[in-house]
Amino acid sequence: VPQQALQGLRNNPNVEYVEADAPRYPLAQTRPYGIDMVQAPQAWAEGATGDGVMVCVIDSGIHAAHEDFQGVNLVGGYPTGWNTDSCGHGSHVTGTIAAADNGVGVVGVATGEIDIFTVKVFNGANCGWSYSSTLVDAANRCANAGAKVINMSLGGGSSSTTERNAFQNLYNAGVLSIAAAGNGGNTQMSYPASYDSVVSVAAIDQNKAHASFSQRNSQVELAAPGVSVLSTVPFES
């Protein structure tokens, strides 16, 4: 937008505010599983297997033909092509959540009748990147589909008022949004993880030591296994 036009928009009484549409990047990493570390078997024994819960994964799509997604309730997604994955990031994340307990590959944290809704915001061999406005649209689509949990292994260094407001609204509506704390290995904030309405999750290794790449800051609320754990890749697109 030309500077003169931008100033005109700022002075327009019908415009609430003007801000940059901040980029959002997939936080690609080898994500560990850590089933025993997070005490998933104990949860399963108590009947907490994810039955009846819809989780929405905002990422690069999902390789729906993968053997570990056969029998998993992939209830739909957005846009057309959500059930394909050109870089594997979304498939890896989804497998960590819901890979079938079928004797092959890996098993996900949720072994029950969990529903997965997929919103694809990244594409290309290297996943590429997206915008905060795209993420807001994706999160709203998750909620409209009936998701109660939104997973985002993505982020960027600059905050967005539009994005902050959107996730606060989702929180107020009873939607739990979870995002990666960041891969910079520093104390900087990453968004959307660092909004108060989003749970920020950092990474630890198999020895429960802080992963060197994982962000650490005052907004981190949980730390979970995040180093060298297999999931539902490699794959064929």
Side-chain angles (χ1 to χ4, degrees), residues 1-19:
V1 179
Q3 186 62 38
Q4 185 174 358
L6 186 62
Q7 191 58 42
L9 287 172
R10 288 197 174 104
N11 293 333
N12 189 325
N14 296 314
V15 176
E16 184 174 354
Y17 62 86
V18 178
E19 66 175 358

Side-chain angles (χ1 to χ4, degrees), residues 156-169:
S158 54
S159 65
S160 157
T161 301
T162 303
E163 195 175 57
R164 180 188 292 108
N165 291 343
F167 282 106
Q168 185 63 52
N169 290 338

Side-chain angles (χ1 to χ4, degrees), residues 57-109:
V57 179
I58 302 175
D59 213 291
S60 62
I62 182 173
H63 181 56
H66 194 287
E67 60 186 356
D68 254 333
F69 294 137
Q70 305 314 300
V72 175
N73 296 332
L74 306 180
V75 296
Y78 177 86
T80 300
W82 63 267
N83 54 351
T84 63
D85 186 353
S86 59
C87 67
H89 193 269
S91 298
H92 195 292
V93 169
T94 307
T96 301
I97 298 168
D101 187 9
N102 56 5
V104 298
V106 296
V107 60
V109 171

Side-chain angles (χ1 to χ4, degrees), residues 24-220:
R24 294 291 175 255
Y25 303 90
L27 301 179
Q29 64 183 4
T30 302
R31 303 180 73 85
Y33 206 71
I35 288 287
D36 292 325
M37 188 181 290
V38 301
Q39 299 181 325
Q42 291 93 319
W44 300 338
E46 295 297 322
T49 61
D51 279 356
V53 176
M54 181 186 290
V55 176
C56 184
V57 179
I58 302 175
D59 213 291
S60 62
I62 182 173
H63 181 56
H66 194 287
E67 60 186 356
D68 254 333
F69 294 137
Q70 305 314 300
V72 175
N73 296 332
L74 306 180
V75 296
Y78 177 86
T80 300
W82 63 267
N83 54 351
T84 63
D85 186 353
S86 59
C87 67
H89 193 269
S91 298
H92 195 292
V93 169
T94 307
T96 301
I97 298 168
D101 187 9
N102 56 5
V104 298
V106 296
V107 60
V109 171
T111 58
E113 292 294 317
I114 186 173
D115 294 332
I116 297 291
F117 191 82
T118 302
V119 181
K120 186 172 184 173
V121 297
F122 301 123
N123 209 348
N126 296 317
C127 284
W129 55 279
S130 191
Y131 285 109
S132 58
S133 57
T134 307
L135 182 57
V136 168
D137 177 72
N140 286 330
R141 289 180 185 278
C142 290
N144 291 338
K148 292 302 181 184
V149 180
I150 298 175
N151 186 91
M152 299 167 286
S153 183
L154 51 84
S158 54
S159 65
S160 157
T161 301
T162 303
E163 195 175 57
R164 180 188 292 108
N165 291 343
F167 282 106
Q168 185 63 52
N169 290 338
L170 289 170
Y171 176 84
N172 294 343
V175 177
L176 178 63
S177 300
I178 301 172
N183 285 358
N186 52 43
T187 58
Q188 295 177 2
M189 300 295 183
S190 180
Y191 301 91
S194 294
Y195 300 129
D196 291 342
S197 56
V198 178
V199 177
S200 177
V201 182
I204 55 176
D205 64 18
Q206 62 269 29
N207 298 314
K208 300 183 181 179
H210 170 249
S212 61
F213 60 81
S214 184
Q215 238 117 306
R216 55 198 187 280
N217 54 55
S218 60
Q219 283 289 346
V220 171

